[in-house]
Amino acid sequence: DGSFITEVHIVAETGRKGKEGELVHATFWANELNDFNTGFNMLTGFCGKRAFFLGPMRSFSCGNLVIQTKHSSATFTTPEW
């Protein structure tokens, strides 16, 4: 019936001008979504060595990177984007 994106992987460095930052690894897992298109661990990752898990309507900051989840989506924001 078609193909859909089932996972998205993001790798970013949170450094500021001239300073080294932490490495962020984040994955959005479509298979974590339930019949209502929400999931408690739909976005997982690491900020440096610290693990994080995001469900719907949550946010997480790592250095200058902000990750925000909505009902069934995620937005990654940095000062450069």
Side-chain angles (χ1 to χ4, degrees), residues 12 14 21-26 44-53 60-65 67:
T14 64
E22 295 186 276
L23 200 57
V24 178
H25 294 85
T44 63
F46 287 89
C47 172
K49 294 182 180 181
R50 297 181 313 269
F52 63 89
F53 307 89
F60 178 80
S61 295
C62 180
N64 61 0
L65 175 70
I67 304 170

Side-chain angles (χ1 to χ4, degrees), residues 2-17:
S3 61
F4 300 93
I5 296 174
T6 58
E7 10 182 285
V8 174
H9 305 281
I10 301 289
V11 177
E13 186 177 354
T14 64
R16 301 180 197 269
K17 291 182 182 178

Side-chain angles (χ1 to χ4, degrees), residues 28-70:
F28 186 96
W29 303 97
N31 64 345
E32 288 291 324
L33 301 176
N34 59 29
D35 291 339
F36 303 103
N37 284 330
T38 60
F40 290 108
N41 290 322
M42 64 185 192
L43 199 145
T44 63
F46 287 89
C47 172
K49 294 182 180 181
R50 297 181 313 269
F52 63 89
F53 307 89
L54 297 176
M57 309 306 289
R58 299 286 182 225
S59 66
F60 178 80
S61 295
C62 180
N64 61 0
L65 175 70
V66 178
I67 304 170
Q68 294 179 307
T69 58
K70 298 286 187 195

